[in-house]
Every structure is written in C-alpha cells, then in structure tokens.
Amino acid sequence: MTTLGFSVHPGEILREEYLVPLKLKPYTLAKYLHVPRTRIERLVAEHTPVTPDTALRLAKFFDTTPQFWMNMQTAYDLATEGAVKKDEIAAIDNYAEARLAA
C-alpha cells in the first residue's frame, strides 16, 4: 500500500504563508473574497475544509490555481482518513490476492 505521509491542513498554509506575511486578517480576506468572515476564520482555525468555491476565490485573489488549494485539501483528507482507518484498509486484499483466494 502507498503511504501518503504527513499532510498539513490548507488553513495552516493560508494562515502562515499568506495571511501572516501579508498582514491580512481573516475578516479582511473574507471581504476581498466576498464570503462570510466565518468561512475564512474557520478555515484558518483548521475547523473546516477548503471547498471548491473557496479554492476558486483564493486562487483568483492570490494568483494561484484552484487545484493548488484543492490538492492540499485532498492530501490532508487522505492522510487523516488513512491514519484513522489504517487497520481497516490494511485488511483489504488487492485484486490479485482476492482472485487467488476465490
């Protein structure tokens, strides 16, 4: 099985790599993105995921791509879910093993 390794929540990246260096508050970013302030506050607090809508808005504002934000979210989701279900996933045979067992 492929290990996905450590992953960082996209809210931490947004906070530490964008908001802090640019001296932007979540409220200010929310105004620029035309979203409720709570959306950005919850994201930078790592309480909520990046949604496609938020990824599109962040990409436009920071001149990145929506895929940049969504890939971070997907990597984080896979790493955290994989850690929680590690034993359950390990118990699944791959296709070749399942055919041999049949």
Side-chain angles (χ1 to χ4, degrees):
M1 181 163 121
T2 304
T3 30
L4 301 171
F6 177 75
S7 188
V8 178
H9 192 282
E12 181 179 343
I13 300 297
L14 176 60
R15 182 181 66 244
E16 299 300 325
E17 301 297 327
Y18 290 89
L19 297 185
V20 170
L22 297 172
K23 296 179 175 45
L24 277 174
K25 300 290 182 198
Y27 171 80
T28 308
L29 178 59
K31 273 182 78 170
Y32 287 134
L33 300 183
H34 306 282
V35 298
R37 69 170 172 75
T38 54
R39 183 189 301 191
I40 303 304
E41 289 170 348
R42 290 191 312 252
L43 179 58
V44 299
E46 303 172 37
H47 294 155
T48 191
V50 170
T51 63
D53 179 71
T54 303
L56 289 163
R57 293 167 188 271
L58 289 170
K60 172 70 173 169
F61 186 75
F62 290 117
D63 197 27
T64 61
T65 65
Q67 291 82 3
F68 171 74
W69 298 100
M70 293 307 300
N71 287 343
M72 267 194 290
Q73 185 63 55
T74 300
Y76 178 79
D77 291 345
L78 286 170
T80 55
E81 190 74 12
V84 170
K85 296 187 174 181
K86 185 172 121 180
D87 294 336
E88 185 180 335
I89 300 301
I92 298 171
D93 290 335
N94 66 30
Y95 177 73
E97 292 167 338
R99 285 202 47 178
L100 287 175

